Amino acid sequence: MNDAHTEAVNQTIQYMKKHLDEPMTTEQLAGLVGYSPFHFSRVFKRVTGISLRQYLSALRVEAGKIELLQSPSLLVKIGMSIGLASPGTFNTRFKQFVGLSPKKFRTTTESLHRYVNQYEHKPLTWTEEERHALPRIHCRIEAPERFRGMIYVGLFPRPVPDQKPVSGTAVHKKRTCILTGIPNGTYYVLAAGIPWSLNPRDYFLLSKSLRGKLEDPVHIDEGTDLAVKITLREPLPYDPPIVVNLPLLLFEKDRNNSAR
């Protein structure tokens, strides 16, 4: 990857983070680093995996999560502080990305935090029948030896975890998993490693979490049976925010598994 391109993207991301309450255009952001809008749009997507507008939307939702967790501000105030002046727009965008409304996000963080932490000393178990169904993807996860925590793995339509995955799971004591129930299509295999923590914020604001991604997308049909390896790494400055609520996805999967 071109170092100059990476640096230009990093500069732009830092600028966006500091000016979320202001309107921003591709032309303006490209001009900050001396690129034409067309060329910079291509460079930005090559470095981050998603478009500049998608990245900006994710940054704004992530900033909303931070505001919701640190103060009981009115939603309209939070929306204005991140450049989404309409409460309706903020609510819609937030639920689309995170998986539940801003109010629900704020009121469920502590209970979801307790729910996840119960698994620090007990295994996660999933039903055996789903392990044999096709299509499926066998994932082997490599993480730093020192890592202790929950590892989330999912299939996403884009190379960014900004919505509920089409298929997902979680592991912690072992480093292998199987993704099943996958609709036909093309997806990206993404993973996040979140260390055990007594602070609820650490499970919902994930800028410091380990990241993993299968470089090439996977193409799924009825007979797909793949084996892949994902290596978790430290986050990079240009990584898109992980805005989807991972503890909620684990809770929902666990609840559905228990109901079978």
Side-chain angles (χ1 to χ4, degrees):
M1 193 177 295
N2 187 305
D3 289 343
H5 289 171
T6 301
E7 179 58 27
V9 168
N10 286 338
Q11 289 181 25
T12 305
I13 291 170
Q14 292 307 310
Y15 177 88
M16 290 192 291
K17 288 180 177 178
K18 294 176 182 177
H19 298 83
L20 290 176
D21 61 332
E22 303 172 11
M24 286 178 259
T25 65
T26 302
E27 290 76 13
Q28 172 198 2
L29 295 172
L32 291 173
V33 289
Y35 286 74
S36 72
F38 176 75
H39 182 54
F40 186 62
S41 293
R42 295 179 62 188
V43 166
F44 192 94
K45 188 168 185 178
R46 188 180 307 126
V47 172
T48 66
I50 58 175
S51 74
L52 194 153
R53 306 314 301 179
Q54 290 168 342
Y55 200 107
L56 179 58
S57 291
L59 282 180
R60 285 181 163 144
V61 171
E62 183 71 359
K65 287 166 59 180
I66 294 171
E67 290 286 338
L68 286 165
L69 290 176
Q70 70 185 12
S71 66
S73 303
L74 293 174
L75 295 185
V76 64
K77 180 181 177 182
I78 294 175
M80 291 180 68
S81 72
I82 61 172
L84 299 172
S86 163
T89 300
F90 177 53
N91 273 278
T92 300
R93 190 76 55 81
F94 193 95
K95 188 170 185 178
Q96 172 191 349
F97 278 59
V98 180
L100 71 179
S101 70
K103 182 178 180 180
K104 196 73 172 175
F105 173 79
R106 187 165 52 194
T107 59
T108 59
T109 52
E110 290 192 6
S111 61
L112 285 172
H113 171 255
R114 290 193 299 271
Y115 163 77
V116 172
N117 272 356
Q118 71 175 311
Y119 286 111
E120 183 174 0
H121 303 294
K122 76 173 189 178
L124 275 165
T125 56
W126 309 119
T127 55
E128 280 300 313
E129 56 263 27
E130 74 173 10
R131 299 174 62 85
H132 302 290
L134 294 180
R136 66 187 171 192
I137 300 177
H138 304 252
C139 299
R140 180 164 61 90
I141 302 149
E142 294 191 351
E145 184 62 32
R146 69 183 185 281
F147 176 79
R148 298 292 183 274
M150 190 72 76
I151 299 172
Y152 298 84
V153 185
L155 291 180
F156 295 84
R158 297 199 300 259
V160 56
D162 62 355
Q163 58 183 283
K164 187 175 181 177
V166 298
S167 178
T169 193
V171 297
H172 62 92
K173 292 185 178 299
K174 61 179 182 177
R175 298 295 168 85
T176 60
C177 63
I178 298 177
L179 298 173
T180 58
I182 311 168
N184 290 358
T186 299
Y187 307 103
Y188 293 85
V189 186
L190 307 179
I194 305 176
W196 301 119
S197 175
L198 296 177
N199 186 344
R201 288 168 56 92
D202 294 336
Y203 290 173
F204 301 95
L205 305 177
L206 306 178
S207 61
K208 296 180 180 180
S209 299
L210 299 181
R211 304 288 193 103
K213 181 178 76 169
L214 195 65
E215 283 306 312
D216 296 319
V218 294
H219 308 285
I220 304 297
D221 59 31
E222 291 83 354
T224 298
D225 193 3
L226 292 177
V228 302
K229 181 182 78 172
I230 302 174
T231 301
L232 295 181
R233 58 162 173 78
E234 296 293 334
L236 298 171
Y238 53 78
D239 283 329
I242 301 174
V243 291
V244 67
N245 190 325
L246 294 178
L248 175 66
L249 295 180
L250 175 60
F251 173 78
E252 291 178 341
K253 180 178 178 66
D254 202 1
R255 181 181 59 187
N256 292 337
N257 185 75
S258 299
R260 291 176 180 174

